[in-house]
Structures are given as structure tokens and as C-alpha cells.
């Protein structure tokens, strides 16, 4: 059939990340002194440990002075607030990153509110969210900012397009919708209570999946030729789930039989490859951009604060 793609173009997040890191490195080399980023990693959550390690590695690549504080998992909200206040008043720290999720006894909202908005390289503080919502962004959440970079650097037009975002989290869904709106897309935000979710998603020229459920978005959600950005990172351990998600990828099923786990996004990989005009794979799509945008935000925070 004419006009319907056989297989979508892969939007290579690793390649785009490397481009951005090279640019950031140059930008830092021209500064009077390198920006400083401090991560706070509470407890031993294995996924968080990997994320923070990768963030610190990127700092080294671009020339950001980085440090990781590792309080134990039984920390209280008050103790964590004290750490954040110390970082707020430390002039050598340009960026503060409190890795989420925090342990259940800690009041996450209170901790995020305590971060100086000028050092909030995650863009999670209500002041930064408010700036974004009113169209004057300062520090923007990294994953949503990465989605826009992928589209722009892949020459995919946004203005005038129908964009559908599945998921309304403060970290991804809401800021992604605001950024797409700033780029003049017509934006719909969907969530667990959306009526006839597949039909709404089928309107999308640009479909963003940020739900946190492995391979939930299947062919009935995807308009042929749509651009699909898959923010999900789900670890599957159930054989039936893996067989359903990777029905088009026997090699992936074989690897699962050896390892006992498989990584999948929120979108069914085979359906996305077959129906989209372009898509971000998992892994190697959106994930690498989150780190690249964190580096960009750290430089931006340093410049804004130091003038
Ligand atoms: N946990 C999952 N994603 C993120 C992120 O972008 N920033 C922080 N701080 N924690 C996270």
C-alpha cells in the first residue's frame, strides 16, 4: 500500500546524546570554571544506582565537577532537608539532583520544594514547572526536554501536528505536553480514566507513551505513519508477557530464556516498528537523552546563577 510505511525509521537516542554531549563539552570549555553538580542517592535501589552512575559518567565526559552523596535508606525527611539546605547554600554547587524514588518514610514533595529553584537541574520545583506552564521556561525536566530534542534533531515537524501524550506525571507527561504546546502542536493528555484510549491515540501524528506498563500500547493505538516516542522502561520477568511483547523478535525471547528478564518500553515493539514512520527504541531511544539534557541543564543553571 502506498503511503503506509513498512518499517519506521529508528530515532537513535545514543547518537543524539553524543551530539549534545559534544556540544556541551565545548560550551563548558569556554566557561571561566566548570559547573558543579551534586547528586543525592538515598539507599541502595539498583535502578537508581545505575541511573546516577550513568549521570556521573556523563559529567566526567563533558567536564562537569560532580559529586554523589549517599545517605542510607533509613534517612528522615528532616535529615534529607538538612542535606538539601547545605547544598543550596554551597556556592560551588550549581546543580542539585535528588534521585527519585525516595524511601516511603520521606516526604518527597517537601524535599523537592526545598531545592533552590536556581539549582533545580531536574526542573521539578513548582517555580520551574510554573515558568514552563507560563511559556517562560528556565530549567525544564530532562526527559520531556529530550523528547523535543529528538524530534528537532531528526527534522520531524511539530507545529500544527496532533500530539497525544499518554500519562500525566509531573516528571514526564505534564511537562512533555507543555513543551509540545510551546512548539505549536495541538496537544491531548490521556490517562487511566480516558474513554476509548486507543481511539484518542489513533488521532496522533506524534504519540508519546509515558505510562509505565510494558508493551501496553499496541497496534490499535497507532495511526499508520505516526511518530512514536516511547518513554517506558519496564523489566519483564513473566514468560507470557515477554512472548506477547516480543512476538516479532524471537532472538529477544531466546535471550529472555537465558537471563530471566527482558526490558521493554510502554509500546509493543513489533507494532511500533511496523506502523510508525519513526520511533524511539527501548533501550537506546529516549533514555540517553535524559542524561544529555541534565548536562545541558547543569550548564544553564551555572550560567543563570553566575551571570
Ligand atoms: N527517577 C527517574 N527519573 C528521574 C529523573 O529524571 N530525575 C530524578 N532525580 N530521579 C528520577
Amino acid at each position: 500500500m502506498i503511503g503506509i510505511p513498512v518499517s519506521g525509521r529508528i530515532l537513535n537516542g545514543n547518537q543524539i546524546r553524543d551530539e549534545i554531549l559534544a556540544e556541551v563539552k565545548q560550551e563548558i570549555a569556554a566557561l571561566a570554571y566548570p559547573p558543579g553538580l551534586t547528586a543525592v542517592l538515598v539507599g541502595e535501589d539498583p535502578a537508581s544506582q545505575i541511573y546516577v552512575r550513568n549521570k556521573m559518567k556523563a559529567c566526567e565526559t563533558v567536564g562537569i565537577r560532580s559529586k554523589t552523596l549517599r545517605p542510607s535508606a533509613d534517612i528522615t525527611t528532616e535529615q534529607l532537608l538538612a542535606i538539601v539546605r547545605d547544598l543550596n547554600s554551597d556556592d560551588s554547587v550549581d546543580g542539585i539532583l535528588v534521585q527519585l524514588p525516595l524511601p516511603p518514610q520521606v516526604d518527597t514533595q517537601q524535599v523537592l520544594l526545598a531545592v533552590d529553584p536556581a539549582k533545580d537541574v531536574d526542573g521539578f520545583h513548582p517555580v520551574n514547572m510554573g515558568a514552563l506552564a507560563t511559556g517562560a521556561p528556565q530549567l525544564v525536566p530532562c526527559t520531556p526536554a529530550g523528547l523535543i530534542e529528538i524530534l528537532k534533531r531528526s527534522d520531524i515537524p511539530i507545529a500544527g501536528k496532533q500530539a497525544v501524550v499518554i500519562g500525566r506525571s509531573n516528571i514526564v507527561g505534564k511537562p512533555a505536553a507543555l513543551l509540545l504546546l510551546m512548539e505549536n502542536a495541538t496537544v491531548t493528555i490521556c490517562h487511566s480514566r480516558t474513554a476509548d484510549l486507543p481511539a484518542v491515540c489513533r488521532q496522533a501524528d506524534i504519540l508519546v507513551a509515558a505510562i509505565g506498563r510494558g508493551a501496553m500500547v499496541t497496534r490499535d493505538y497507532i495511526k499508520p505513519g505516526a511518530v512514536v516516542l516511547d518513554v517506558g522502561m519496564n523489566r519483564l520477568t513473566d514468560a507470557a508477557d515477554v512472548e506477547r511483547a516480543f512476538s516479532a523478535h524471537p532472538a529477544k525471547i531466546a535471550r529472555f530464556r537465558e537471563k530471566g528478564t527482558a526490558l521493554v518500553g510502554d509500546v509493543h515493539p513489533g507494532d511500533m516498528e511496523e506502523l510508525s514512520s519513526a520511533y524511539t527504541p527501548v533501550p537506546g531511544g529516549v533514555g540517553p537523552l535524559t542524561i544529555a539534557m541534565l548536562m545541558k541543564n547543569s550548564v544553564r543553571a551555572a550560567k543563570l546563577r553566575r551571570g
Side-chain angles (χ1 to χ4, degrees):
M1 274 186 291
I2 294 166
I4 296 181
V6 183
S7 183
R9 166 163 69 118
I10 297 174
L11 304 172
N12 184 335
N14 290 318
Q15 195 182 320
I16 299 172
R17 171 202 56 203
D18 290 345
E19 275 172 36
I20 294 172
L21 291 186
E23 291 164 15
V24 172
K25 187 175 180 172
Q26 280 201 341
E27 201 178 345
I28 290 173
L31 292 177
Y33 58 97
L37 173 65
T38 300
V40 183
L41 172 58
V42 178
E44 314 280 329
D45 180 74
S48 291
Q49 286 180 331
I50 294 170
Y51 289 140
V52 170
R53 195 190 316 141
N54 288 338
K55 288 171 183 178
M56 297 301 111
K57 247 192 250 170
C59 285
E60 208 174 303
T61 303
V62 299
I64 289 175
R65 291 175 293 108
S66 69
K67 196 167 158 183
T68 305
L69 305 178
R70 301 169 185 277
S72 66
D74 60 1
I75 194 168
T76 65
T77 301
E78 269 315 313
Q79 287 166 330
L80 190 49
L81 288 174
I83 291 174
V84 169
R85 288 188 198 113
D86 277 349
L87 295 172
N88 284 343
S89 57
D90 182 340
D91 197 47
S92 72
V93 173
D94 296 293
I96 302 169
L97 179 150
V98 181
Q99 186 65 27
L100 303 181
L102 293 169
Q105 80 278 7
V106 174
D107 182 340
T108 300
Q109 214 45 45
Q110 219 184 321
V111 172
L112 296 182
L113 260 176
V115 175
D116 179 348
K119 297 188 177 188
D120 171 34
V121 286
D122 266 322
F124 292 166
H125 194 285
V127 164
N128 284 318
M129 285 291 280
L132 174 59
T134 50
Q138 295 281 320
L139 295 169
V140 174
C142 301
T143 302
L147 298 175
I148 302 295
E149 284 290 327
I150 291 175
L151 293 173
K152 286 191 170 172
R153 287 174 189 254
S154 308
D155 296 317
I156 293 169
I158 307 173
K161 300 296 177 187
Q162 293 282 347
V164 174
V165 179
I166 322 173
R168 55 177 156 182
S169 73
N170 290 329
I171 295 183
V172 182
K174 273 186 219 161
L178 289 167
L179 285 171
L180 288 162
L181 186 60
M182 278 188 70
E183 297 294 335
N184 299 308
T186 302
V187 184
T188 305
I189 307 179
C190 300
H191 45 77
S192 53
R193 304 283 289 273
T194 297
D196 201 351
L197 181 60
V200 178
C201 293
R202 277 199 308 275
Q203 302 293 312
D205 303 307
I206 298 170
L207 181 62
V208 177
I211 318 143
R213 281 184 58 187
M216 191 195 95
V217 174
T218 49
R219 53 194 317 114
D220 3 327
Y221 292 66
I222 304 169
K223 174 165 84 176
V227 173
V228 182
L229 304 175
D230 188 351
V231 182
M233 270 281 211
N234 309 285
R235 198 160 283 287
L236 300 182
T237 52
D238 182 84
D241 289 343
V242 173
E243 276 160 30
R244 184 184 72 81
F246 294 108
S247 48
H249 301 86
K252 196 97 180 173
I253 296 175
R255 212 169 323 137
F256 165 76
R257 294 211 174 103
E258 286 167 27
K259 290 177 56 182
T261 124
L263 200 60
V264 73
D266 288 344
V267 187
H268 188 284
D271 292 352
M272 174 163 73
E273 286 158 25
E274 185 189 330
L275 288 167
S276 73
S277 61
Y279 69 94
T280 57
V282 175
V286 174
L289 266 294
T290 299
I291 295 182
M293 300 317 285
L294 176 68
M295 300 300 106
K296 259 181 113 97
N297 271 354
S298 301
V299 175
R300 187 165 167 75
K303 284 184 168 175
L304 287 171
R305 218 169 58 83
R306 296 176 192 279

